[in-house]
Amino acid sequence: MRIQELHQSLADIGARPCHIGRINRAWLKGLPLDTGTRYQKGEDYFPLSVRHGLPPIVAQVEGLARIHSQHTAVDGSLRLLVALGDGQMVESVLLPRDGLCVSSQVGCAVGCTFCMTGKSGLLRQLGSAEIAAQVVLARRIRPVKKVVFMGMGEPAHNLDNVLDAINLLGTDGNIGHKNLVFSSVGDPRVFERLPQQRVKPALALSLHTTRADLRAQLLPRAPRIDPVDLIEQGDANARQVGYPIQYQWTLLAGINDTQEEMDAIIRLLKGRYGILNLIPYNSQEEDSFQRPSSERIDAMKRYLHDSGVLTKIRDSAGQDIDGGCGQLRARAAGVVDTSRLRKRVSAQPPE
Ligand code: SF4
């Protein structure tokens, strides 16, 4: 369901824009749709036709998404396996410090070789109301002041729905615009559309390597943009919207944690308006890809930081509870295959 369809249903029962705004705000706080304010009860504000017409709409909205299971991690994050109306499942993660990571698609067409979600391909798009509903469910558990679109799916492949959800969250959802973070593998439409929005989100770009050949292997169906050009476009976007860009780098031992990569990162990112997030891979024993040692991760961070690249280590939330994107859903669906792909992926550049 799209947010516009919800608004049309409300208009059809006689709700005017002011009523729709109040219903949006109540919904996005996780409250009943007909909640009034401190000074005015719902029954004193909404016209009779709205009060009588609301119950089937409430049922429809409540049916968009429900929590199938919750998994608490030692780092304070809480992973939610969310069942959609048709039984498909996505993951949302409540992060420490009032953040929430949401999904934008069931599955994903990009097929990153280190990602469980990518293994299933794209199953379906989420409607904008289903994306917002993940925030509603999370806010019924604890406050959400930041929403990152880094869960299942490539947000740029569901651009209109994601931008509609961002627009609602940045207005009636009361989330600061720079606290809405759109993540992409570098779809050109993102650079064109994001700066035009009324609510301009921050941008995170999945870089993972400075080598075009390795990037094509790790992200097989991402747009073939040379990492050098990707960084140029990212930098231009950051300066346009006024918030630093986040470059995402999933750390894979022996693949993209090499000295050559670090030196190339310094050449490309030093002095840029951005942050490099090193995300150590969430490996399991039998995985082909492995997480570098803690000593290696710390040494990388120090080296990059000391060389003028603002670098942070971001562990994927909930390491102890299938913390990688799509692992919970895969387990629930019985499709966990931990013999991950490392086909044709090599740390060595071609001759
Ligand atoms: S890492 Fe992101 S873009 Fe890549 S397959 Fe997984 S969900 Fe899709």
Side-chain angles (χ1 to χ4, degrees):
M1 186 196 219
R2 288 169 182 264
I3 290 161
Q4 291 92 327
E5 290 164 345
L6 169 62
H7 291 174
Q8 187 57 53
S9 304
L10 292 168
D12 290 346
I13 59 169
R16 296 202 302 275
C18 57
H19 304 132
I20 294 175
R22 190 176 281 195
I23 288 169
N24 280 340
R25 289 190 289 279
W27 179 47
L28 292 168
K29 283 180 188 159
L31 299 171
L33 299 194
D34 60 356
T35 304
T37 64
R38 207 171 344 152
Y39 306 105
Q40 195 173 36
K41 292 184 195 155
E43 55 265 38
D44 297 336
Y45 183 72
F46 293 115
L48 201 58
S49 65
V50 173
R51 281 186 271 147
H52 286 169
L54 212 45
I57 297 176
V58 169
Q60 215 182 348
V61 169
E62 285 299 314
L64 287 172
R66 67 178 172 80
I67 295 175
H68 179 272
S69 56
Q70 303 186 24
H71 309 258
T72 309
V74 288
D75 63 4
S77 63
L78 177 65
R79 292 187 88 85
L80 306 177
L81 190 56
V82 174
L84 304 172
D86 62 356
Q88 291 285 4
M89 292 210 237
V90 292
E91 294 179 19
S92 313
V93 189
L94 274 156
L95 305 164
R97 295 179 293 283
D98 299 337
L100 176 71
C101 175
V102 295
S103 295
S104 55
Q105 298 181 305
V106 184
C108 181
V110 180
C112 300
T113 49
F114 49 82
C115 170
M116 183 61 78
T117 300
K119 293 180 83 173
S120 60
L122 176 64
L123 301 178
R124 83 162 168 87
Q125 305 285 17
L126 261 65
S128 48
E130 289 174 313
I131 297 170
Q134 293 171 66
V135 179
V136 173
L137 290 177
R139 278 184 163 167
R140 287 178 185 160
I141 299 172
R142 62 192 200 207
V144 172
K145 295 180 184 157
K146 175 171 183 165
V147 177
V148 299
F149 290 77
M150 297 181 185
M152 296 166 62
E154 160 58 35
H157 290 178
N158 190 13
L159 193 53
D160 288 335
N161 279 305
V162 171
L163 291 179
D164 285 349
I166 284 175
N167 189 45
L168 188 73
L169 293 170
T171 51
D172 288 331
N174 200 28
I175 296 179
H177 299 185
K178 70 174 177 190
N179 286 335
L180 293 159
V181 184
F182 188 109
S183 168
S184 175
V185 293
D187 192 297
R189 288 167 293 189
V190 166
F191 301 113
E192 194 191 314
R193 296 276 302 277
L194 259 53
Q196 295 170 358
Q197 301 305 305
R198 180 161 71 123
V199 175
K200 293 182 184 49
L203 180 60
L205 284 179
S206 303
L207 189 59
H208 304 310
T209 173
T210 57
R211 282 173 38 204
D213 65 300
L214 179 57
R215 196 163 188 273
Q217 293 175 55
L218 292 173
L219 288 66
R221 287 183 289 285
R224 291 280 189 271
I225 307 178
D226 191 292
V228 176
D229 298 332
L230 191 58
I231 290 167
E232 282 299 333
Q233 294 190 52
D235 206 53
N237 173 278
R239 293 185 192 283
Q240 201 173 1
V241 298
Y243 341 117
I245 195 148
Q246 298 180 41
Y247 295 101
Q248 308 292 85
W249 192 284
T250 297
L251 266 180
L252 306 166
I255 304 283
N256 62 358
D257 63 345
T258 60
Q259 186 63 39
E260 293 73 36
E261 285 280 29
M262 281 195 285
D263 290 336
I265 291 171
I266 294 163
R267 270 198 313 279
L268 295 177
L269 291 188
K270 190 174 173 177
R272 300 280 187 177
Y273 188 31
I275 300 163
L276 177 69
N277 289 326
L278 299 178
I279 309 158
Y281 179 65
N282 187 29
S283 53
Q284 328 228 327
E285 253 174 47
E286 62 276 37
D287 277 350
S288 302
F289 287 120
Q290 285 295 318
R291 173 192 182 91
S293 67
S294 308
E295 296 73 38
R296 178 77 190 136
I297 296 166
D298 288 342
M300 280 187 80
K301 183 192 163 183
R302 244 191 337 270
Y303 183 74
L304 293 168
H305 212 85
D306 293 349
S307 306
V309 178
L310 183 54
T311 308
K312 303 213 166 178
I313 296 170
R314 308 252 190 223
D315 262 310
S316 81
Q319 296 288 305
D320 50 323
I321 40 136
D322 290 334
C325 166
Q327 289 179 356
L328 269 184
R329 175 189 166 273
R331 193 169 292 284
V335 295
V336 171
D337 170 9
T338 45
S339 58
R340 305 283 174 78
L341 306 170
R342 196 179 174 169
K343 292 184 288 190
R344 303 186 305 280
V345 175
S346 151
Q348 298 305 315
E351 295 295 315

